[in-house]
Amino acid sequence: MPKLSYLKALNRALGDELERDPSVFLLGEDIRAAASNVTAGLFARFGPDRVLDTPLSEQAFTNFATGAALAGMRPVIEFQIPSLLFLVFEQIANQAHKFSLMTGGQCKVPVTYVVPGSGSRTGWAGQHSDHPYTLFAHVGVKTAVPATPADAYGLLVSAIRDDDPVVFFAPSGALGVRDDLDFSTLAPVPLGVGRIARSGADVTVVALGHLVQDALVVADELAGLGISVEVFDPRTVYPLDVEGLTASVAKTRRLVVIDDSNRTSGFAAELLAIAAERFDLAAPPRRVTRPDGAVLPFALALDRAVQPGRDQLVTAIHAVLEEQ
């Protein structure tokens, strides 16, 4: 069975949707040349009317996409760097996101914002390493962070077909993940439906994107010590599969969240708040996150030390198992 990489799955999803729906088009900086390889080969297949290089103005092409969506198109924007989303937060959160709400659903804004990068541990330094998925979830924008090639394909297809704006994060640390897949089984994955990446009985670990792979490695290691770790992958930050999370934690009664956003008001903070409201836990929950106010350093060793990783996750799991 062929292996499909996460990166190739994104490319395949874009190609399939461009082929299926003539209202879909791509735009962004250097996408004809496929600077990030996400759009490789698509300009040659679909031409300049469907694959548009833009000037270096995130505000301009983001608002352009909103107007095109209001006019009946389905734009897909690729952002080269996640931190550039700070430049267009107003255009997405205050404009594209609100048109449907303010018109009682009469206006639809089906824009997909594809954001490869961050979560990389590759020394992108302070102004290129943010991972702001929590910000968009906070204001109610649909936000996906898939972990596997199949989910990268399926969630991107669903995002493009959705009538609302969707911010789609593709962490650098996941782009090289490869799975044995029958290509005929690739299919849309609904937004808001999580998955059990590994079943377990002692503790639930919630992880997103590239951190799912870290959680699975840790679960394998701890299984040798007789510790059974369940890994829950929400797949989307908003909408969040609260029922799936509830079912997992009801079984284990212990919760650890590993989250590549900052500690204060991060995704992990929200999950711990849900745990306090809904769950009968056997021990206080734990979270592994970026530190508050983190500016990731350029030096690779320091970059990796700042971002959440396996060693911190192991420590948190042992702590939650030891507490009563």
Side-chain angles (χ1 to χ4, degrees), residues 1-9 147-150 173-181 183 213:
M1 191 175 296
K3 284 186 177 291
L4 180 67
S5 74
Y6 190 110
L7 182 61
K8 292 291 187 182
T148 69
L175 293 178
V177 173
R178 302 174 69 87
D179 280 341
D180 292 328
L181 290 172
F183 292 171
Q213 301 302 319

Side-chain angles (χ1 to χ4, degrees), residues 21-39:
D21 185 347
S23 71
V24 175
F25 70 98
L26 311 182
L27 68 159
E29 298 165 359
D30 296 325
I31 63 168
R32 290 187 184 183
S36 68
N37 289 318
V38 172
T39 57

Side-chain angles (χ1 to χ4, degrees), residues 13 71 77 110 162 206 209-210 218 286:
I77 302 175
D162 200 278
V206 179
H210 63 295
V218 167
R286 295 287 179 127

